[in-house]
Amino acid sequence: MLEELEKIEHGALETLSRVGDDAALEAWRVTTLGRSSPLMQVFDRLGSLAKEERPLIGRRANEVKRNLESRLAELSEALRTQALARALQTERLDITLPGRSLAPGRLHPSTQILRRIYAIFAEMGFQVYRSREVESDENNFELLNMPQHHPARDMWDTFHTLAPGVLLRTHTSPGQILVMREQAPNPIRVILPGMCYRYEQISARKEIQFNQVEGLAVGENITFGDLKGTLTDFARRMFTPDVRTRFRASHFPFTEPSAEMDIECFLCQGKGCNVCSGTGWLEILGCGMVHPTVLRNGGYDPERFTGYAFGMGPERIAMLRYRIDDIRYFWANDIRFLEQF
Ligand code: 2U9
């Protein structure tokens, strides 16, 4: 039995000398000191030994066990130290390297266009008026000359809420009613920026949410000439000082007469390209003289007061200006898109 113990110890130390990592060490522990290891079987057999043999064998078995356990602990500690040294070597930080520079934040392309629009109209004496995005059917349609069931409402596919008569505004025009009712009979010169919502099938050309900037001027001597002059000047400041503009007759329920303003295509200088569909012109905004019914709904006597209004889409302007071919990029929050502006 003593011989067997010598062999066990010798063999175990021999294998231990070839152990080089934690997994092998754990395997060694199980085979050498585990429940069913030859060493433990020696302990199991002690009871069946002759009485006089038992103390000697027992002492030696315990010695072997303690020796192997302490070698296990030593090697385990050595492996831990080695691993730490390796980690310190490979994961070393060079604190003398310069830090990574932070990418500065940027303004969203819509915000950039919106701010340019505010600045241009501010110079012309227009104040910014903001109003709520959840609106009444009355302010969004009815007071804008579109009574219930009027077919003109079909131009705006609308998000209705469960509350009857409450909807997400389809344009910022209800704000124009609010500002008129607040200001009547004082003259008004405001722009109304903000998010609007339409129940659209989302595609490269259509989104369910988009910004709009509308403008409104009301006073005693406001003419279509003022409208043309103001918007032509806006186009020159927004695009280039020599940009050509044209006004085409159009129709909106809340303005009469109504028009759309085009600018000469800045990509082909009017020659015709795929951005302007070969026409040489780009549609930039809609406008018109405020309809007498709408003026009256806002609290102004249409016999005494006149006004003009206009509306434009900052995303559309950004798309033309930066040649963005898909409106879905605007709210997708893809950093690869946003960091280009
Ligand atoms: C009141 C009186 C008049 C606002 C107007 C337009 C023409 C227009 C669209 C262009 C592109 C908005 O972003 S867009 O979809 N707007 O064409 N908007 S006149 O006229 C008003 C509004 C309110 C009380």
Side-chain angles (χ1 to χ4, degrees):
M1 203 93 158
L2 278 176
E3 231 172 76
E4 194 181 336
L5 280 168
E6 293 316 311
K7 251 205 202 135
I8 290 174
E9 184 174 35
H10 188 263
L13 291 175
E14 223 263 315
T15 10
L16 189 64
S17 69
R18 289 196 298 272
V19 164
D21 60 40
D22 287 339
L25 186 61
E26 174 58 11
W28 180 88
R29 188 193 62 76
V30 173
T31 42
T32 314
L33 295 161
R35 264 284 77 229
S36 47
S37 61
L39 179 61
M40 291 306 148
Q41 281 166 17
V42 170
F43 283 100
D44 293 343
R45 278 153 45 205
L46 282 180
S48 60
L49 291 179
K51 225 180 190 168
E52 36 321 337
E53 266 188 319
R54 227 179 279 157
L56 184 66
I57 306 287
R59 202 174 317 120
R60 183 69 191 118
N62 270 316
E63 257 172 38
V64 171
K65 182 166 173 267
R66 271 199 303 276
N67 184 26
L68 294 179
E69 279 171 351
S70 78
R71 301 298 285 271
L72 167 75
E74 271 167 29
L75 187 55
S76 166
E77 178 58 24
L79 288 175
R80 214 180 59 78
T81 318
Q82 271 173 28
L84 181 65
R86 213 176 306 122
L88 287 173
Q89 196 50 238
T90 54
E91 295 167 23
R92 194 167 54 185
L93 282 182
D94 183 351
I95 56 167
T96 63
L97 285 175
R100 283 196 202 118
S101 56
L102 290 176
R106 291 153 196 269
L107 293 177
H108 190 283
S110 294
T111 309
Q112 293 188 27
I113 298 285
L114 279 167
R115 290 192 179 183
R116 281 185 61 122
I117 297 173
Y118 303 158
I120 293 168
F121 281 107
E123 284 178 353
M124 298 195 225
F126 285 74
Q127 288 184 302
V128 170
Y129 186 91
R130 294 180 189 274
S131 70
R132 60 196 174 216
E133 294 177 12
V134 178
E135 260 297 353
S136 64
D137 181 282
E138 188 183 24
N139 288 342
N140 195 82
F141 288 123
E142 200 133 344
L143 296 172
L144 293 168
N145 209 20
M146 286 174 281
Q148 290 279 335
H149 311 298
H150 193 286
R153 287 185 177 213
D154 290 352
M155 281 163 65
W156 295 272
D157 296 307
T158 310
F159 280 114
H160 294 275
T161 69
L162 287 177
V166 180
L167 43 77
L168 296 186
R169 67 179 179 189
T170 57
H171 41 196
T172 58
S173 312
Q176 314 217 28
I177 293 290
L178 298 174
V179 72
M180 282 197 283
R181 289 187 163 186
E182 261 175 47
Q183 294 298 321
N186 299 315
I188 296 176
R189 235 189 274 159
V190 287
I191 55 169
L192 301 93
M195 201 60 93
C196 305
Y197 303 87
R198 290 189 196 163
Y199 185 47
E200 303 277 7
Q201 178 72 48
I202 297 176
S203 69
R205 293 159 47 85
K206 283 196 171 153
E207 250 291 2
I208 57 172
Q209 66 174 93
F210 55 92
N211 281 290
Q212 212 180 49
V213 179
E214 287 195 321
L216 175 70
V218 181
E220 293 199 63
N221 290 305
I222 291 185
T223 66
F224 198 85
D226 295 321
L227 163 70
K228 279 186 81 171
T230 307
L231 294 178
T232 303
D233 195 35
F234 164 73
R236 289 178 181 156
R237 292 176 193 226
M238 185 76 199
F239 300 101
T240 48
D242 57 353
V243 71
R244 292 174 65 208
T245 51
R246 73 174 185 188
F247 286 78
R248 281 177 294 103
S250 185
H251 174 77
F252 304 107
F254 28 77
T255 47
E256 180 58 40
S258 304
E260 277 166 333
M261 184 179 81
D262 298 341
I263 59 166
E264 194 174 60
C265 179
F266 45 71
L267 293 160
C268 63
Q269 273 71 44
K271 290 184 196 72
C273 65
N274 59 349
V275 174
C276 59
S277 314
T279 63
W281 295 95
L282 298 169
E283 185 194 319
I284 292 298
L285 51 80
C287 56
M289 300 304 288
V290 181
H291 195 288
T293 306
V294 176
L295 275 176
R296 196 175 298 108
N297 290 340
Y300 288 85
D301 175 3
E303 296 295 327
R304 233 181 101 199
F305 292 92
T306 52
Y308 64 76
F310 55 87
M312 66 187 90
E315 281 82 38
R316 178 174 158 74
I317 294 178
M319 287 175 83
L320 292 170
R321 215 188 157 81
Y322 303 125
R323 306 203 61 179
I324 300 164
D325 58 8
D326 193 321
I327 197 169
R328 288 170 292 195
Y329 284 124
F330 281 88
W331 319 125
N333 260 349
D334 185 331
I335 197 80
R336 292 168 301 179
F337 169 74
L338 296 173
E339 69 188 4
Q340 293 178 53
F341 302 96

